[in-house]
Amino acid sequence: MTTTDSATPAAAPATNKHFIRQIIEADIAAGRNGGRVVTRFPPEPNGYLHIGHAKAICIDFGMAQEYGGRCHLRMDDTNPVKEELEYINAIQEDVRWLGFDWGGHLYHASDFFDQMYAFAESLIQRGKAYVCAVPQEEWKDYRGVPTRPGKESPWRNRPPAESLDLFRRMEAGEFKEGELCLRAKIDMASPNIHLRDPVIYRILHAEHPHTGAKWCVYPMYDFAHPLEDAFEGVTHSLCSIEFEVHRPLYDWVIENLEDSTTTRPHQNEFARLDLTYTVMSKRKLLELVEEKLVSGWDDPRMPTLCGLRRRGYTPAAIRTFVEIVGVTKFNSLTDVALLEHCIREDLNQIALRRMAVLKPLKVTIENAENLPATVAAQNNPEDPAAGTRQVPFSRELLIESDDFMEAPPPKYFRLTPGGSVRIRNAGFLTCTRVEKNTAGEVRNVVCRWSPPTAELKVKGTIHWVSAPHAKPVTVRLYDRLFTVPEPDGQEQDFKTFLNPHSLEQVTAYAEPAVADAQPGEKFQFERVAYFVADTVDSRPGAPVFNRTLPLRDTWAKVEKAGK
RNA sequence: UGCCGGAUGGUGUAAUGGUAGCACAACAGACUCUGGAUCUGUUUGUCUAGGUUCAAGUCCUAGUCCGGCAGCCA
């Protein structure tokens, strides 16, 4: 966690009354569940959270906040084969970083394994579930396909007492994985496959990260999820649209719950977030990590929350982004430019300004008699409260090599032979001559300096650092991870579209104040880009900077258009 | 070809029978000690065909296209 990300426990202000808000308001108005609003964010701890999860988090926690309710964080750990403790901790850190608080309401699906097991027995006793011995290879055949009904298992009408006995022996560990399973007895002819006697408990001889060796039978998602919601008193179970077809089963479980005192939760579905120039599936992100195409889950190019955090994104920007994107059932693809807009807007307000030169060119001042030793510079013109600092000045400066051109194109406002330019916070430079190396390259731009009071008419301002005072710092220039808007869904593998230039490391020369940057601190290197001091590789006095994203560059556009 | 969803500018969304609006992007201009920021303006849209109505993005009918569902994953 960084020092400058103040985790404001508030969602972005509501911009529109989307359908989830409408549903909740109608429920409150109708007095359903006593007008209470309880939501939950239920990640499976089998991977790191990404920007897509951020949408769900902002909705789940945001709705609870907005309507005076609460939101539970729940680890959906019903499959010990895939889940790990490492993820459980990372998930909590990420949700907290995003600015949300679950109070004392941290749950695990596994907290309710006893109750779930008891409920399963109850279903058996009521003839609503049975132990099935159809082997997995044959089950496909029994289940049928969406267009054709399935056929009933030969064990479907096994007496409850027999099923109960077998189920208890399953629980006792008497059977191998896959040998038996517990199914709900619903309707093998249903057009909804999820209602064709779905498996609700399976045998898994696996150590569970939370319950250890206590169980060898584990509930399936479709059975466990509605129960978790009911047991926790969740009123609004908000999830993504691929669960829409599961809703009848969700309702079946809830309706068969005998305890009428529990809350009656309802499931509502919204579309997932998808972004251009990235991939979002856990599988593909894992692939990038495992094949070392990125440095890890927190590589600043990754769309994971830890990656975005390390890249310099702020929680506020992500929350605003999610609010702007909105909530619908339409499967959309959001332009990553919108996310970039949100982070630019936030960073513009909060990032301290500094000067740093990425591709240095030497400037020598010929009239060195009356130079100031330092000049004052505002830390953030957008925020006067950020104060000012003194920046050392001298007769030898470094400027950006792009800021000098011997033969400038039209509308070039920077330094040119015989021309003048303003240097940020420190007066003006007028180029009197240049010195070149034997290859004919400009190595030194000799200038006459004029104080700020000179009021020279210039169109441009450039940044600079004093050469003898400059601190070399490592700077990582990150760019989009992929070269095409939709690396997914192409004919070729998504990895063929990896951007070979997504990371370029250079040494920049910065004003001295930059050396004191604390890990996680955010800056704008004026006229260049927003940067964050890396939380992993920075050392005291030797920060490493990650480029969050470049400043808008109108000149680059003009230049490109001219070509 | 079964079931469940969905379709509004390039992108994301709003309008809940009454002037199709907002944001991003793009483009043009103003301003500026960041070619940043800010401000102004411009371009571009209701999937199709019928119907109801004084009035339809919205309601009805038929179609088209897109997404999801056939793990003892979540």
Side-chain angles (χ1 to χ4, degrees):
Chain A
M1 200 138 315
T2 63
T3 48
T4 52
D5 292 330
S6 54
T8 317
T15 58
N16 85 73
K17 197 147 280 186
H18 55 64
F19 78 101
I20 300 279
R21 288 191 171 112
Q22 291 177 31
I23 287 170
I24 293 175
E25 287 179 19
D27 288 344
I28 292 172
R32 276 190 272 276
N33 288 316
R36 275 174 298 118
V37 176
V38 181
T39 59
R40 98 272 93 107
F41 173 62
E44 182 188 13
N46 70 343
Y48 282 78
L49 262 26
H50 53 62
I51 182 82
H53 294 109
K55 177 178 180 181
I57 294 167
C58 290
I59 292 170
D60 292 335
F61 281 91
M63 291 307 95
Q65 240 168 49
E66 247 176 86
Y67 294 101
R70 61 173 200 263
C71 180
H72 299 178
L73 176 62
R74 178 166 75 221
M75 304 297 162
D76 221 350
D77 55 355
T78 54
N79 186 351
V81 178
K82 296 170 91 177
E83 295 145 10
E84 290 172 32
L85 215 50
E86 172 198 355
Y87 299 123
I88 293 182
N89 298 328
I91 286 168
Q92 293 184 60
E93 182 184 353
D94 288 345
V95 174
R96 238 182 251 122
W97 174 73
L98 247 197
F100 296 103
D101 181 15
W102 50 91
H105 297 279
L106 171 66
Y107 300 95
H108 299 76
S110 51
D111 296 339
F112 305 107
F113 280 175
D114 286 319
Q115 283 150 277
M116 290 176 190
Y117 181 81
F119 179 60
E121 287 204 347
S122 154
L123 285 179
I124 296 170
Q125 282 159 343
R126 286 182 280 154
K128 296 190 175 202
Y130 60 96
V131 170
C132 181
V134 170
Q136 279 178 72
E137 314 80 62
E138 286 175 44
W139 173 240
K140 235 179 183 169
D141 187 41
Y142 278 91
R143 183 181 42 221
V145 291
T147 51
R148 236 188 313 284
K151 56 184 183 187
E152 298 187 347
S153 158
W155 316 103
R156 195 170 201 263
N157 294 310
R158 195 198 298 268
E162 195 179 308
S163 277
L164 191 59
D165 175 60
L166 286 169
F167 188 51
R168 286 177 176 166
R169 288 166 56 198
M170 279 166 65
E171 195 274 331
E174 289 185 28
F175 301 99
K176 294 197 292 282
E177 288 185 13
E179 208 175 339
L180 294 176
C181 67
L182 184 69
R183 328 184 72 97
K185 189 171 177 179
I186 307 179
D187 178 9
M188 288 308 294
S190 172
N192 183 338
I193 290 203
H194 300 281
L195 257 21
R196 319 241 262 231
D197 288 11
V199 173
I200 57 178
Y201 257 96
R202 80 286 214 191
I203 298 168
L204 249 27
H205 291 285
E207 188 92 354
H208 188 283
H210 217 237
T211 60
K214 183 178 177 189
W215 299 92
C216 66
V217 290
Y218 292 92
M220 298 286 290
Y221 167 86
D222 281 316
F223 180 70
H225 207 86
L227 293 178
E228 294 152 19
D229 286 342
F231 295 154
E232 291 176 25
V234 166
T235 58
H236 298 268
S237 190
L238 310 174
C239 63
S240 45
I241 30 178
E242 68 265 29
F243 293 104
E244 212 151 15
V245 285
H246 296 241
R247 194 172 55 221
L249 180 51
Y250 183 99
D251 290 336
W252 182 91
V253 172
I254 294 294
E255 279 152 22
N256 281 290
L257 207 49
E258 293 157 302
D259 184 358
S260 58
T261 62
T262 53
T263 309
R264 170 52 165 105
H266 285 272
Q267 176 180 300
N268 294 104
E269 311 85 8
F270 57 85
R272 284 169 178 257
L273 175 71
D274 200 1
L275 266 189
T276 56
Y277 295 97
T278 191
V279 294
M280 212 70 103
S281 86
K282 278 184 192 171
R283 201 207 88 225
K284 286 174 180 153
L285 295 177
L286 181 64
E287 213 172 313
L288 293 173
V289 172
E290 286 186 335
E291 295 178 25
K292 306 222 182 297
L293 299 166
V294 295
S295 67
W297 286 100
D298 66 346
D299 185 296
R301 293 165 292 183
M302 292 281 273
T304 48
L305 293 182
C306 51
L308 290 165
R309 176 163 67 231
R310 209 175 151 192
R311 179 76 173 258
Y313 274 74
T314 61
I318 294 172
R319 283 188 239 117
T320 302
F321 169 70
V322 169
E323 182 57 36
I324 290 175
V325 163
V327 183
T328 67
K329 298 181 86 113
F330 177 62
N331 234 313
S332 59
L333 177 63
T334 300
D335 193 339
V336 74
L338 183 61
L339 211 213
E340 293 172 347
H341 161 78
C342 292
I343 186 60
R344 270 202 189 95
E345 194 147 88
D346 194 23
L347 258 16
N348 180 43
Q349 298 303 319
I350 64 169
L352 296 178
R353 270 54 169 182
R354 294 290 184 264
M355 289 195 285
V357 171
L358 265 48
K359 263 178 74 186
L361 174 62
K362 191 169 95 175
V363 166
T364 306
I365 293 172
E366 53 184 13
N367 57 333
E369 308 79 43
N370 297 310
L371 297 184
T374 63
V375 299
Q378 271 193 294
N379 285 326
N380 185 353
E382 301 290 326
D383 177 18
T388 59
R389 68 188 184 284
Q390 290 295 319
V391 183
F393 192 66
S394 73
R395 69 180 297 254
E396 215 166 84
L397 307 179
L398 300 176
I399 65 168
E400 210 67 67
S401 55
D402 287 348
D403 288 342
F404 174 82
M405 277 188 99
E406 257 198 304
K411 293 193 177 165
Y412 183 81
F413 299 157
R414 284 109 98 149
L415 195 58
T416 57
S420 299
V421 75
R422 189 191 298 274
I423 53 172
R424 185 75 167 144
N425 303 306
F428 303 87
L429 249 29
T430 303
C431 171
T432 52
R433 63 188 172 87
V434 298
E435 292 171 5
K436 298 183 181 181
N437 63 9
T438 49
E441 297 159 333
V442 177
R443 302 318 298 254
N444 185 17
V445 182
V446 181
C447 294
R448 194 175 60 247
W449 176 77
S450 312
T453 48
E455 289 180 10
L456 285 175
K457 275 249 161 61
V458 294
K459 296 207 80 170
T461 301
I462 64 174
H463 61 280
W464 53 273
V465 293
S466 164
H469 302 94
K471 305 281 184 194
V473 289
T474 300
V475 157
R476 296 169 182 154
L477 305 175
Y478 290 106
D479 201 351
R480 291 171 181 171
L481 229 202
F482 293 95
T483 55
V484 295
E486 289 183 77
D488 268 330
Q490 304 284 336
E491 282 188 18
Q492 298 104 302
D493 183 80
F494 75 101
K495 296 195 295 295
T496 60
F497 302 103
L498 276 166
N499 177 7
H501 310 295
S502 62
L503 169 57
E504 191 194 338
Q505 187 160 310
V506 302
T507 298
Y509 295 86
E511 59 171 284
V514 164
D516 303 326
Q518 296 305 302
E521 208 174 351
K522 294 164 181 65
F523 297 94
Q524 183 198 101
F525 291 169
E526 286 195 278
R527 301 208 316 131
V528 179
Y530 291 104
F531 288 88
V532 63
D534 189 64
T535 47
V536 176
D537 299 317
S538 293
R539 296 290 170 265
V544 169
F545 289 96
N546 298 333
R547 181 171 72 186
T548 309
L549 80 172
L551 255 35
R552 275 212 186 75
D553 189 350
T554 317
W555 170 246
K557 255 185 216 171
V558 173
E559 213 180 12
K560 203 175 167 190
K563 278 175 186 167

